Amino acid sequence: RVPGQEQLLIKDLSFSLEPSQKIAIMGDSGIGKTSLLETLACLRNAEGNIYLDNRPLHEWPSELLRQRLTLIGQHPYIQTGTIADNLRLAAPEADEKALQKAIELAAMSDFLKALPDGLNTHLEARGYGLSGGQLQRVALARLFLRNPSIILLDEPTANMDTETRDVVIDNLLGFAQNRSLLIVTHDPAVARRADIVWRLDKQSLEPIDKASLLDSERGRL
């Protein structure tokens, strides 16, 4: 339910995300995809039942839930401090080797080399000084420093060029091999890498044939 509006944004929606399963959700802007992810991350109230390991989501202690589940939104949280400081938000004790591995997986090396201070580059709140795609990669590097069993991603590659997008998705799927992944995207090239693709439309989820996604991608190219 959207605050201040009587009409439900999403109604009578039911699905399961299984262990190790990769699901992509597509749909028009404003249809409720982001709201769905935020609800699954316990950031929005919902009328209905959401279960994690057969336990109602609202019964999970917040700290334990954050260990199990990670959500990366379209506008990742960035605090005032260096890039390294922002990476260590996910793992305060991470050593240099762990940071470098996360940087590699998130394809951050190219733009870090272009910054005079590299990892020690100072960022203001909201990440002023980095592009949208670079900030997304900082957020993904934080993901790679964590050990969640469930990953929720909202347009994680929207501001990346094709080459960077493909590297990031390859590494993300490798990282998520034994984890559950739910990814919202408008990009057919990203969606078709998932096990299952759904379209959110008229408050319901409809399956999408991956062959149609390939045709759509060719059309865009």
Side-chain angles (χ1 to χ4, degrees):
R1 183 182 298 276
V2 178
Q5 296 185 18
E6 293 186 6
Q7 184 178 359
L8 289 173
L9 183 63
I10 300 174
K11 182 180 180 181
D12 298 332
L13 191 65
S14 179
F15 70 94
S16 296
L17 176 62
E18 304 294 340
S20 300
Q21 191 175 42
K22 314 296 180 285
I23 294 177
I25 294 181
M26 308 185 77
D28 295 338
S29 297
I31 202 69
K33 304 184 300 298
T34 294
S35 296
L36 174 60
L37 290 188
E38 291 176 348
T39 301
L40 296 177
C42 215
L43 298 178
R44 286 176 178 261
N45 294 325
E47 300 170 9
N49 300 304
I50 303 173
Y51 297 92
L52 172 58
D53 288 346
N54 297 315
R55 180 181 181 182
L57 196 65
H58 67 269
E59 291 185 3
W60 281 79
S62 178
E63 183 177 350
L64 185 57
L65 181 62
R66 297 301 162 226
Q67 293 174 4
R68 293 286 309 275
L69 183 151
T70 293
L71 166 65
I72 299 180
Q74 296 183 43
H75 305 288
Y77 172 75
I78 299 293
Q79 71 172 19
T80 300
T82 67
I83 294 176
D85 292 337
N86 275 276
L87 293 184
R88 285 195 170 96
L89 289 175
E93 304 302 322
D95 59 19
E96 191 67 21
K97 183 178 180 180
L99 287 182
Q100 290 302 321
K101 180 62 175 179
I103 287 167
E104 177 185 349
L105 291 174
M108 289 177 60
S109 300
D110 59 343
F111 76 81
L112 285 179
K113 290 177 181 177
L115 298 172
D117 296 322
L119 267 179
N120 293 318
T121 299
H122 185 83
L123 300 177
E124 299 297 335
R126 299 187 180 182
Y128 180 78
L130 296 183
S131 69
Q134 290 167 347
L135 292 175
Q136 284 286 0
R137 283 182 273 174
V138 171
L140 288 169
R142 285 199 299 241
L143 167 64
F144 295 135
L145 286 167
R146 301 186 63 186
N147 186 33
S149 56
I150 302 169
I151 304 168
L152 308 177
L153 302 178
D154 193 357
E155 298 285 3
T157 62
N159 298 301
M160 299 179 193
D161 60 74
T162 301
E163 182 178 355
T164 302
R165 175 203 67 190
D166 291 345
V167 169
V168 167
I169 289 299
D170 284 344
N171 292 339
L172 179 61
L173 291 176
F175 178 78
Q177 184 174 1
N178 296 313
R179 313 170 200 267
S180 300
L181 173 65
L182 184 60
I183 182 169
V184 161
T185 181
H186 282 101
D187 190 339
V190 172
R192 67 183 178 84
R193 299 291 300 276
D195 301 324
I196 298 172
V197 186
W198 287 325
R199 181 178 300 281
L200 180 59
D201 184 35
K202 298 179 181 177
Q203 301 183 336
S204 65
L205 289 170
E206 301 294 338
I208 296 178
D209 183 1
K210 286 192 184 182
S212 68
L213 290 175
L214 184 58
D215 292 339
S216 178
E217 183 184 354
R218 287 169 175 167
R220 290 177 61 178
L221 295 176

